[in-house]
Amino acid sequence: MIELYIDAATAGNPGPSAIGIFIKGEGQLIKIGEAIGENDNHTTEFIALVRGLTEALKLSTGIISVRSDSKIVVASIEKEYVKNEAYKPYLEEALELSKKFDLFFIKWIPSSENRAADTLAREALRSYQKKQTR
């Protein structure tokens, strides 16, 4: 089983943004922190989910348990619906990716349980901001 933790960090809303992805399972421990340019926080959370699922599929198509502290992302996946049209392409892509797993679970967790992904996102955002001020 793969455990996928995702998070986003933005400076402003919208503003400079980064994603944090922490994957464990299948004998792997993968940490990704990556700046993704200017976005709002919710878009960045959806981007983190899509990227995380893409990375997880490289390891296995078996069971995946996704954990996120973004209520909008978790609720959108569970309901397969999002009100804001701007998020629809990300939701559709995430749903398509989720279908490639034998079993897919997603669960909302409090920020205190998502520290690994949060740290990766924040570090990537800080690094990106430092490069922008040079």
Side-chain angles (χ1 to χ4, degrees):
M1 181 175 91
I2 294 174
E3 293 179 67
L4 167 61
Y5 293 81
I6 58 166
D7 205 2
T10 59
N13 200 21
S17 302
I19 58 174
I21 298 165
F22 182 80
I23 302 171
K24 64 181 180 179
E26 303 297 318
Q28 301 287 321
L29 185 62
I30 298 170
K31 298 176 182 181
I32 299 169
E34 185 175 282
I36 59 166
E38 301 274 324
N39 276 300
D40 66 80
N41 189 56
H42 294 315
T43 298
T44 306
E45 294 278 4
F46 277 105
I47 291 169
L49 175 60
V50 169
R51 177 69 190 282
L53 291 172
T54 301
E55 293 298 323
L57 279 167
K58 294 175 184 177
L59 302 175
S60 172
T61 58
I63 302 169
I64 186 166
S65 178
V66 179
R67 317 263 171 75
S68 173
D69 59 18
S70 171
K71 290 183 180 181
I72 189 170
V73 167
V74 173
S76 296
I77 293 292
E78 289 175 343
K79 295 175 185 175
E80 298 186 5
Y81 173 78
V82 65
K83 284 184 187 178
N84 189 323
E85 289 293 318
Y87 308 142
K88 202 171 238 179
Y90 301 107
L91 174 62
E92 290 172 359
E93 188 173 359
L95 290 171
E96 283 303 310
L97 290 168
S98 72
K99 291 174 185 168
K100 295 180 180 184
F101 293 94
D102 295 335
L103 285 173
F104 172 86
F105 301 97
I106 190 164
K107 179 182 178 184
W108 177 84
I109 58 173
S111 297
S112 61
E113 293 178 24
N114 203 24
R115 287 199 178 112
D118 177 70
T119 298
L120 292 165
R122 288 180 188 278
E123 287 174 355
L125 180 60
R126 277 194 296 275
S127 177
Y128 175 73
Q129 288 177 305
K130 283 182 186 176
K131 288 177 186 173
Q132 296 303 311
T133 58
R134 288 182 187 166

